[in-house]
Structures are given as structure tokens and as C-alpha cells.
């Protein structure tokens, strides 16, 4: 449904497409989706209108990286004012419960990969409203959230206020040069790298180099969705290039480990 919304399909259009795919008798999965569409119909219409109003193509490369970052920031400033939950994960349809379940799924996967421990220093790159920062806070030594959108950061500050070891900072979206060498155990980019990719190869290279420099031995760069609109094989090839260029080990290369969303996972570890 989130992909249909990004393609400017209305809530009524989604309901009609779903009805066309109804079997007799309806399957359990179909019935569950139909119930969700009906319950969230007003939200679907509102989100569809917001996507159309924004007029932003999330897969289209920016002609200028600075102007492109400003456009992305403006888009998310508007999106967070419309629906904080949908602004960071359109597939949540603005429902806090869906977003919380998807966030928990990501944390469980990170834990299963051995990427979380109580004293870890974590960068949440493209932190949005702070949904991951707040989830990570009880399980990390420190969390630094960075975002290009001041509107997103304002919402994140409210949500992260109970956690003094969570810091939030604005970024221009051009690089990670401000990070100290060997200062982080985990650099986590959830649905943020596609926007970096939009800004061009030079911006991507600076971000990957900055993350690699900041990782301690044994640390990892985790990217959940590397791009939008490209074949998975192209993303895997690019991640392999990062690993070779920065002496990282590509442990996870384009897997889809989640049930609630279609995030493509990459884990690049620093040796030691």
C-alpha cells in the first residue's frame, strides 16, 4: 500500500484494486488487508493527498546535492507535520501500533545479528522522529541521531527527552566528517540511504567513508534499504564495492529479514 501511495494511488483506488483481487472464499490474508484498508481509509486519503501535494519523486536523482538535500528536508518538514508516524515509515499508514511493531522487529533482528550491547555507541543516521533512537536508548551506551529535517528533529527531541544519553543533531546531508575516528560501534541507516543515493555518488562515498572511519574494531555499518527504484543486484554490487574500498566485511548482502516491511538489509563489519 505504501508503494501505491507513493505512486499517487488514492485510498479508494487501493480499495478497488484489493477488491479486484478478492477470491471466493476470501483468504485470511485478503480479509485482514481489507479490514485494514477500511479502518484506515481516511488516513490513506490524507496520505495520498500529501504525497501528491509534495510532488517529490523519491527515486529521482538530484541535479545539485545541496539543493537536493534542502528539498528532502522540506519534504520531511511537511510530512512530519501531517503524520509523524507515516513520515518515517509510510507503510505504518500513520498508525503508532504498526510503527512500534516494525521498530521492534528491527531491534530484534539487530540483536539476533549480535549488533546490540549495553555500552554500544550508536549513530542513528536519518533518525526522523526518533522512533529507533528511543527504542535503542535502553539497550545502548549512547545514541546520536542525525537528520536533515528540523521538523523531524523537533519531534524527535520531544520523544527522546527522557533519555539524556540520546543526542540529536542537524546534518546538511553532505557527509559525516564531524564524526570522530573509532567513536562508534554501530552506524544504523534505516530508510535513509536512498535519499543519500539521490544526492549522487560523491555524497554516498563521503558518507560511507565517514561511517567506516568512525567504526571501532568489531563495529558495523547497517543499511536497511540502500536505494529506491533500483534492482537488488545493483545495491548488492554497490555494497560489495564499499566493503572492498574500506576494508569491511559484507556479512549480510541484500537479505529481506522482516515480515512487516520490505527492507533490504546490508551489514558491513569492521574487522577485529
Amino acid at each position: 500500500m505504501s508503494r501505491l501511495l507513493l505512486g499517487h494511488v488514492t485510498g479508494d483506488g487501493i480499495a478497488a484494486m484489493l477488491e479486484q483481487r478478492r477470491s471466493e472464499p476470501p483468504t485470511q490474508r485478503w480479509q485482514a488487508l481489507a479490514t485494514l484498508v477500511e479502518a484506515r481509509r481516511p488516513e490513506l486519503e490524507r496520505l495520498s493527498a500529501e504525497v501528491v501535494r509534495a510532488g517529490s519523486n523519491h527515486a529521482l536523482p538530484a541535479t545539485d546535492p545541496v539543493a537536493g538535500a534542502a528539498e528532502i528536508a522540506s519534504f520531511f518538514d511537511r510530512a512530519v507535520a501531517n503524520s509523524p508516524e507515516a513520515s518515517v515509515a509510510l507503510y505504518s499508514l500513520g498508525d503508532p501500533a504498526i510503527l512500534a511493531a516494525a521498530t521492534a522487529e528491527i531491534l530484534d533482528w539487530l540483536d539476533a545479528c549480535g549488533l546490540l550491547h549495553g555500552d554500544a555507541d550508536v549513530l542513528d543516521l536519518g533518525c526522523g522522529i526518533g522512533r529507533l533512537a528511543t527504542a535503542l536508548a535502553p539497550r545502548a551506551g549512547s545514541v546520536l541521531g542525525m537528520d536533515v529535517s528540523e521538523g523531524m528533529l523537533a519531534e524527535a527531541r520531544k520523544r527522546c527527552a527522557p533519555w539524556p544519553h540520546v543526542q540529536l543533531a542537524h546534518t546538511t546531508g553532505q557527509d559525516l566528517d564531524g564524526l570522530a575516528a573509532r567513536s562508534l560501534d554501530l552506524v544504523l541507516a534505516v530508510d535513509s540511504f536512498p535519499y543519500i543515493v539521490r544526492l549522487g555518488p560523491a555524497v554516498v562515498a563521503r558518507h560511507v567513508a565517514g561511517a567506516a572511519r568512525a567504526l571501532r574494531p568489531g563495529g558495523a555499518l547497517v543499511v536497511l534499504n540502500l536505494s529506491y527504484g533500483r534492482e537488488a543486484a545493483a545495491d548488492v554490487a554497490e555494497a560489495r564495492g564499499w566493503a572492498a574500498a574500506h576494508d569491511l566485511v559484507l556479512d549480510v548482502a541484500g537479505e529481506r529479514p522482516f515480515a512487516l516491511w520490505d527492507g533490504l538489509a546490508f551489514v558491513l563489519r569492521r574487522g577485529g
Side-chain angles (χ1 to χ4, degrees):
M1 281 194 287
S2 64
R3 289 182 180 275
L4 291 172
L5 289 171
L6 288 171
H8 295 186
V9 179
T10 65
D12 286 345
I14 290 171
M17 292 172 70
L18 182 61
E19 185 60 31
Q20 290 172 0
R21 287 157 176 78
R22 176 178 180 149
S23 61
E24 290 298 339
T27 65
Q28 237 181 351
R29 287 170 64 90
W30 185 95
Q31 191 60 57
L33 189 55
T35 300
L36 177 63
V37 168
E38 188 58 32
R40 305 298 297 177
R41 185 75 70 87
E43 186 68 15
L44 287 171
E45 294 296 349
R46 192 160 65 88
L47 292 173
S48 174
E50 178 62 24
V51 170
V52 172
R53 192 160 46 245
S56 180
N57 186 331
H58 290 208
L60 187 67
T63 55
D64 174 79
V66 175
E71 177 198 334
I72 291 166
S74 178
F75 172 84
F76 282 105
D77 284 346
R78 293 192 301 271
V80 72
N82 181 59
S83 172
E85 284 75 19
S87 70
V88 290
L90 190 59
Y91 59 81
S92 74
L93 307 180
D95 187 335
I98 296 175
L99 185 63
T103 303
E105 191 176 38
I106 292 170
L107 268 289
D108 288 345
W109 176 78
L110 290 170
D111 205 17
C113 291
L115 295 168
L116 295 180
H117 54 85
D119 58 352
D121 295 310
V122 181
L123 170 63
D124 181 8
L125 181 59
C127 64
I129 63 174
R131 58 120 171 186
L132 283 159
T134 54
L136 286 163
R139 308 171 71 168
S142 72
V143 181
L144 170 62
M146 299 176 69
D147 207 283
V148 297
S149 165
E150 292 287 8
M152 289 286 214
L153 288 169
E155 182 69 22
R157 289 187 185 98
K158 292 187 288 187
R159 295 173 183 242
C160 296
W163 305 99
H165 62 300
V166 175
Q167 302 296 313
L168 299 167
H170 181 260
T171 174
T172 63
Q174 303 302 305
D175 56 56
L176 294 176
D177 291 351
L179 297 177
R182 299 197 171 198
S183 60
L184 296 169
D185 300 292
L186 175 62
V187 176
L188 179 60
V190 178
D191 261 338
S192 56
F193 245 90
Y195 299 98
I196 298 171
V197 168
R198 279 189 66 191
L199 301 182
V203 178
V204 172
R206 289 197 294 269
H207 276 83
V208 176
R213 185 188 67 252
L215 288 176
R216 295 177 178 131
L221 166 61
V222 175
V223 175
L224 303 182
N225 277 339
L226 194 154
S227 73
Y228 295 144
R230 288 197 321 203
E231 294 293 332
D235 286 350
V236 171
E238 182 160 359
R240 292 193 190 284
W242 298 349
H246 298 286
D247 194 26
L248 301 171
V249 177
L250 185 59
D251 275 356
V252 177
E255 297 177 9
R256 295 193 189 274
F258 308 111
L260 291 174
W261 68 304
D262 61 350
L264 207 65
F266 298 86
V267 177
L268 298 99
R269 294 186 191 256
R270 168 70 67 209

